Structure formats: C-alpha cells, structure tokens
Amino acid sequence: MCRIFAAALADGQVGPVLKVGLKRLEYGGYDSSGMATIDQGKLKIKKGVGKLDEVDRSVKFDELSGNIGIAHNRWATHGYPSVTNAHPQVDCTGKIAVVHNGVIENFLEIKEELAERGHEFMSRTDTEVIAHLIEDYIKKGMDFLNSTINAIKELKGSYALAILYSAEPDKVMLVKNESPLMLGIGDDGNYAASDPVAFVDHTNRVIQLEDGELAIITPKSYKVYRISDQGLVNHNIETVDINVNDVNKGGYRHYMLKEIMEQPVAISYALNLQIQYLDVVSELVRRSRITYLIGAGSSYHSCMAGSYMLSQISGLPTIPAVASEFIQQFGKTLNPDSTVILASQSGETADVLKVASYARLKASTIISITNVVSSTITRLSRAYIIQQAGPEIGVAATKTYTTQLLVYYQLAVKLAKKSGSITEMEINSYMKGLRELPRLADKVLKDVREPISKLATELKDAGHIFFLGRGINTATAYEGRLKMLEISYIPSSAFSAGESKHGPIALIENNSPVIFLAPDDASRKVMLGNIMEIRARGGKAIVFGNEVDSELKQASDEFIGMPQINEMLTPIIYILPLQLLAYNTAILKGYDPDKPRNLAKSVTVL
Ligand code: G6P
C-alpha cells in the first residue's frame, strides 16, 4: 500500500511541491503522512498521523526548507498508525531517510542481525531496517550508491523506495521491485512517484522503472542502473496524457461524486476501445480451452457480470473467480490451453498479480482489463485492454466498475461476431444499445437525484439493508451492497433473489429494507414473486425497475423507474442509482466517502 513521491528541484523550496503531489496520491493511503528534505547538508523531517490536511495543519509541510525531498502517504501494514511508524524512517545517525511502498518479508531476521550489531530501532515498521542496512554499509566505507545496492540485495519482498542521505545532498535514490515507481523528467527538476498524477503539473515525460532497477535523480540529471550488475539502463521517455483537471474535484464536493457524475463521459471513452486490442484479446479467448475471469472487490463483480455477457451474447462459458481464492480453487486446472482474464482497475492489486505470476508458471495466457496503462498487470499480460475511464481517486470504484463492464460487453459482442453465433440483426441491436448508453446514463443520473436523496434519508438509520437481483443483476446487487457498506458502514447483504428463500428471508422483520433490481428481463416475473414474499413478511420492497412497468410499481413499497435497455447493459444503468444512494447515505451520516475507514484504493499486499 502507501504511495511515495520524490522531487529534486533546480530552484526553490520542495515542501509545497511535495505537498501538492502527496495530496493527489492520498487515495493510496491516509493513515499518516510525512516528508524529509535536505537543507544545507542536514536532514529535515515532518510527519504525523491522519489525513494529509490534518497532518499539514499541525506540522506545516510548506515550511520544509531545501530543494530536494521525499514524501509518503501510509496505509499501515506493519505497525499501527503512529508518528513513530509514519514514514520517512531514519537510521541511527539521522542522516538517511527512507519512504517505502510494499512489504519487506524478511525484515524481522534483518532487524535481529542489525540489533545485534548495535542498531537501535524506533518503529515497528519493516521499512526502518532499510535505513539501518544502508547505514551499516556506509559505516564500512561505501558510498550512498554502493551501500544502497548492497542493502537492497539483502531484501526479500516488494518495494518502491525513495531514499535521502544528507552527506550526498543532491541525490534521491530510487529502487523498484514489485511496487509501482516511475520517474518524471522535467525542465525545472526531476521527480519520481508511485503514480504520475503526483508530478503531472511539472512534467508529463515519464520513465517506467522495471523490477530490479535503481535510479538516481538530481535537480539536473537522472541515471538508471540494473541492481544485479550495476550496468546503466537506457529507458525510453514516454509521454503520459493526464490533464491536471482530471485529478482535481472539478467543482464537486467529493471525488466519488465527481466520478459518479462523469460516468456518461467515461462510458463514451470506453466505447472507443482500440479495435486491434479487442481483436487480439477475443482471438486468444476463442482459442482457449477454458477462460477464467478474475478480480477483487468491484472488479470481481464486473467479472461476475462479464460471465453472463460472454455466455449470453457469445455463447462462451467462462468461470468468474475471486482473485484471493483462485489459486486454491482452480490453480491446478491451469495449463497452456487456459486463459485468465484479470480485471483490476489499478493493475496493482497484490491478489491479482499473484494469480498472474502463477498463471505464468503454468504457461497459461494472461489477459488484463485495467484502467492504468503503466501498471504492473499490463507488463505481465500477453494482451490487455485499457478501460479509458480516466484517473479514479475516490476509494470506492464507480466509473472504473461501469467501464470494466463495458469492456466485457464489447468483448462478448466481438467474440459473437467472430464465432458467427448470433445473427447480424442481433449484433446490430447489441451495438445500438452501446450507442444509447452515454445518453441514458446521463438521464438516469439526473432523474434519480431526488428520489435517491429521499431514499438515503429513509435508509440512513437502517440496521441492515438487503440487495437482491437475478441473472446478470446479481452482480449489481453485490456491487450495490459493497458500495453501501464500504462508505456508509451500514451492514448489508446481497443475494441472487432466488437464494433469498433459502435462508436470508429469516432476517426479514417489519420494515426491513430490501432493494430489488428488477429490470424487464427474463426473470422479471419470478422477481415479482420474490417481492411478494418479502412484503408478506413485513419487509419494505424498494424496487428499481422499468419505468413503464406499472404492475411492478404497484407491487412495490417504493419504486424507482429506470429506462429500457437491452438486458446485458442493465448492470451499467442499474448500478448508477446505487452508487448515488451509498454516497448520499454516507454524507447524511457525516462520513467522508472519499476515504472510507480501513480501506485503500489499491491493496498491494496479500
Ligand atoms: C480495493 C478497493 C476496491 C477495489 C479493489 C480491487 O479493495 O477498495 O474498491 O474494487 O481494491 O481493485 P482493482 O484495482 O484490482 O480493481
């Protein structure tokens, strides 16, 4: 977890620059934040517990002097959130400062050895051992570069590191292994960060570091080395296309609301997927004996919906699976004839990357669907499709969920075309649905505003909320439930409506709120029966259904009308009011929807 940022400026104070970048990276962790700079050969450190703004109010990051510095947002893995455990972590001499994203697996052994040699540890973090290890080599007479290289060779685990050493005050040392890290090459200085959004207003020229590489940036230069043989590496500089306005709130109170409301635009971007990529991916899937669709959190829900799309549109059976369970559940069935499609908006989720490494060993085909082109997952994949949703900062996935669904839909239509399994007329009708989607999404977001804010007022004090769907909208029920519980903290459950009579119905009491997703599809009739069952037991049926369905409306306690669209696209339209419902409920309860407690945007630990 965590996000890191480093800057070496030709001129001026680095404190304010680091603060802006860190704010942009807050989605990666907000248990604590901290910075270190070097001024006149001395290391200066400020850090504190809590969100960046709170820490800044007490420590005043802007006042950090010096033109070179490193910064960190923490999501705790080793050691409780505290000032001592906040990064930067330093060595015994107070000359070396380290910020780290990742996990050092063998830190306890290293710590013991170093303690025996007299090193004193202040924190419970795995990161602190890195500062002491480097110190140990420096004591032996090595320079900063060689000490870092020797220290790194002792580490097992994942790490993106930025390191300062006050005796070599013009350098930031950067190291990458299994955690994202890239350099930003600017005219006013050089930068490095877990994500280019941190430095995008200084430069859009980026170098992607590879695992096993170390880079040194100074205000005027940069060098990249291979750690194994210390050879210099010549990377191409790429240009990243991120608009600064994309990463600000665009006038909305929260990123989550901004990202919900920009879905019509994100959807239209995702309709322009690159044809060649869809072509390659569909060909690989077509040749495969078996295809698994794998993801975590919301991305798993998109895989659930994706499996309905692939089977119903293109007649292709696929198996959706949760990333953290996949290896135990299906690992042994992988072979060169199988394909894994890994859906991960960040492309950095550790559970998903682990499946990728495993599938690699089994020589299976790896395909990814992600929103971040520079992510680790694209580098592990034989082919990938980028969702094109733009950066998503709010922790709860919204536009990246709907755009992932769109990728699956387009893949399914492509496969159907290739296999000739459906008629030209059917293909045209599926494509027509796609073209209507941005307009319908926009309409829904406007039409449901009022009813949803009323519903949020009714539900804000609920002790428990049920979400029931059928068919492809079972995935919508799961995703709606996840949104509600992760940002409003109201305990919620989701089931396929057919399952409700096999247990969940036992919980229904007078006025228990039950949300039904009941579009006009093959299961509408049985849904009507399920609604009756719940109401007969005193439950309150809040139904999302076709706006012209008067029978359904009559059968509901509350009814929210949705436009007609082909069944396979309903999950994209029906999740929109549920995202808004979760958002409004969180606001009414006084919670910050952009930073739900205990959660992080991308979970880079297993
Ligand atoms: C975290 C986030 C979820 C997200 C999941 C998978 O748990 O809080 O919102 O769905 O990771 O993320 P990915 O980047 O792999 O889609």
Side-chain angles (χ1 to χ4, degrees), residues 295-300 343-349 352 392 395-397 400 404 482-483 486 599-603:
S298 298
S299 293
Y300 166 62
S344 171
Q345 71 79 23
S346 64
E348 301 295 347
T349 298
V352 179
E392 187 177 73
V395 165
T400 56
Q404 248 169 27
L482 181 64
K483 290 290 89 93
E486 72 181 341
L599 299 181
K601 182 72 185 155
S602 104
V603 182

Side-chain angles (χ1 to χ4, degrees), residues 95-215:
K95 289 184 177 172
I96 300 163
V98 180
V99 293
H100 169 210
N101 165 30
V103 176
I104 306 299
E105 286 164 17
N106 57 340
F107 86 101
L108 280 175
E109 290 124 79
I110 300 176
K111 196 169 179 175
E112 262 171 39
E113 280 172 29
L114 289 169
E116 273 169 27
R117 295 210 286 277
H119 287 266
E120 278 187 37
F121 289 86
M122 310 304 288
S123 78
R124 300 176 71 91
T125 64
D126 50 344
T127 308
E128 192 182 354
V129 301
I130 304 169
H132 291 272
L133 256 183
I134 297 173
E135 176 197 356
D136 220 52
Y137 284 104
I138 285 178
K139 269 200 217 143
K140 291 179 188 153
M142 289 184 198
D143 65 4
F144 186 19
L145 174 63
N146 283 297
S147 304
T148 308
I149 287 179
N150 278 292
I152 296 307
K153 286 185 175 163
E154 293 193 32
L155 303 180
K156 283 193 194 135
S158 56
Y159 41 85
L161 301 168
I163 311 164
L164 292 179
Y165 175 41
S166 58
E168 296 189 33
D170 62 335
K171 293 179 189 135
V172 184
M173 201 72 71
L174 301 140
V175 190
K176 172 179 166 22
N177 192 50
E178 293 177 14
S179 291
L181 187 59
M182 56 213 70
L183 306 184
I185 310 304
D187 297 328
D188 60 347
N190 291 311
Y191 306 83
S194 312
D195 180 330
V197 295
F199 53 68
V200 76
D201 35 9
H202 300 276
T203 182
N204 63 353
R205 298 166 66 226
V206 164
I207 290 179
Q208 297 287 346
L209 294 181
E210 296 288 338
D211 285 348
E213 287 181 349
L214 176 150

